[in-house]
Amino acid sequence: MTQASSIQRLLNEFERLPGIGPKSAQRIVYWLLNRDPSQVKNLAEAIIDVKDTVRFCNRCFNYAEGELCKICADTQIGKRDAALICVVSEPRDITAIERTGEFNGSYHVLGGAISPMDGIGPDDLTIKELLHRLDAEKTAEVLLATNPNVEGETTAIYLSRLIKPLEVKVTRLASGLPVGGDLEFADEISLGRAIESRYEL
């Protein structure tokens, strides 16, 4: 493989990443070519390491390096309110909510949202595991923090109908978040206010 084809191969791989177009890929590749080999090796090892060590938390399905993620471990030792569960679509949504400093419960990651157009139904998400947790952990409130778009609203309504008969309080993020947006892109102030002003379904 010639140098030119190895560069093109790397360009192609970077272009597969979300949000990376041809120009961004080119900038990254040329930046790497001008770095010290040890820096590039550290980056490559970090990528391999994260794939080898990170898994899903056995309890909430967030990313974890052991059986439990850090948040679930804190919940077990009483640093967080175990009776309050915030349901999100993806692990990255947890990061957005944690940045607000307004939530001190535990989380549950669904692994997506109900979307018939994409062939994703309730059985493709971790809904059964959530219902088991509600019973086993004596949950008092479930905050539905799915994205404010069609799929997120559909998922929230579906979950609300399942959870309400269990005599668990079901709440939803208040308005103020842009409709059709993703939680990960919401600013901390708007998201914090949405958590603080959550309403019961």
Side-chain angles (χ1 to χ4, degrees), residues 133-152:
R133 281 185 65 188
L134 300 186
D135 181 50
E137 298 178 20
K138 296 181 173 59
T139 306
E141 180 185 347
V142 173
L143 168 57
L144 300 175
T146 51
N147 289 321
N149 54 26
V150 174
E151 294 80 9

Side-chain angles (χ1 to χ4, degrees), residues 5 14-15 20 27 30 37 49 74 81 88 92 107 118 129 139 149 153 157 159 161 172 180 186 197 199:
S5 60
F14 275 118
E15 285 180 39
I20 303 291
R27 278 196 298 272
Y30 289 137
D49 185 51
D74 282 349
D81 185 356
V88 297
R92 62 178 174 259
Y107 293 90
D118 297 317
E129 291 83 354
T139 306
N149 54 26
E153 291 298 329
I157 291 166
L159 288 174
R161 288 176 180 163
R172 184 86 173 113
S197 305
Y199 60 92

Side-chain angles (χ1 to χ4, degrees), residues 9-50:
R9 180 185 172 200
L10 189 55
L11 284 167
N12 292 343
E13 291 303 320
F14 275 118
E15 285 180 39
R16 293 175 194 262
L17 299 175
I20 303 291
K23 287 185 179 179
S24 296
Q26 197 173 58
R27 278 196 298 272
I28 294 168
V29 169
Y30 289 137
W31 181 87
L32 288 170
L33 288 170
N34 289 309
R35 295 300 101 196
D36 186 89
S38 63
Q39 284 183 285
V40 179
K41 187 178 178 185
N42 286 341
L43 174 62
E45 287 174 351
I47 293 170
I48 292 167
D49 185 51
V50 80

